[in-house]
Amino acid sequence: MQFEMTATVFSCNKVTVEGNTYCSIFTGQNPVGDNAANTLGLEITKIAADPSVFDQLSSDGFKSGQSVKLIAKLKKAANGKSQPHIIGIVPGQRNQQQPDPAKKSV
């Protein structure tokens, strides 16, 4: 099952270890629920991704802090849970900056 999710992406890292290439995306969001009272700033999340995602972001003109539409699928995780795994990005999103919530439009 694939789905789209929009996230503020801060960085994307690709590393090769013993011939295997791994990729991770670091995203941030405003805290909600119980976490809002115990978190200052943004909640940062590390999400596993296919290595091709790094190349897609690079060729699409990625800038840190950009709001990006990601294509994900659910993968099995520990204890019978599932977690997202990024398999691609929706193309054609150049330079879409997420509005700064601290700035108010006039």
Side-chain angles (χ1 to χ4, degrees):
M1 173 179 82
Q2 293 182 3
F3 61 96
E4 283 186 20
M5 59 187 268
T6 302
T8 302
V9 177
F10 295 112
S11 68
C12 181
N13 300 344
K14 182 169 71 168
V15 63
T16 301
V17 178
E18 296 181 3
N20 295 318
T21 303
Y22 303 95
C23 184
S24 298
I25 292 181
F26 293 85
T27 67
Q29 67 180 13
N30 289 317
V32 293
D34 294 337
N35 289 341
N38 301 320
T39 304
L40 297 174
L42 298 173
E43 290 180 318
I44 306 300
T45 305
K46 178 182 178 184
I47 306 172
D50 286 348
S52 62
V53 173
F54 182 91
D55 300 325
Q56 290 173 3
L57 286 170
S58 179
S59 68
D60 205 39
F62 170 74
K63 304 276 189 237
S64 180
Q66 182 176 345
S67 182
V68 179
K69 286 185 183 179
L70 304 166
I71 302 169
K73 66 179 179 179
L74 291 177
K75 280 196 160 185
K76 282 189 172 188
N79 297 323
K81 296 182 180 182
S82 59
Q83 63 188 23
H85 181 87
I86 307 304
I87 58 173
I89 65 166
V90 176
Q93 305 179 65
R94 293 183 191 269
N95 300 322
Q96 291 180 358
Q97 293 290 340
Q98 179 151 333
D100 187 351
K103 293 181 182 177
K104 294 185 179 184
S105 58
V106 181

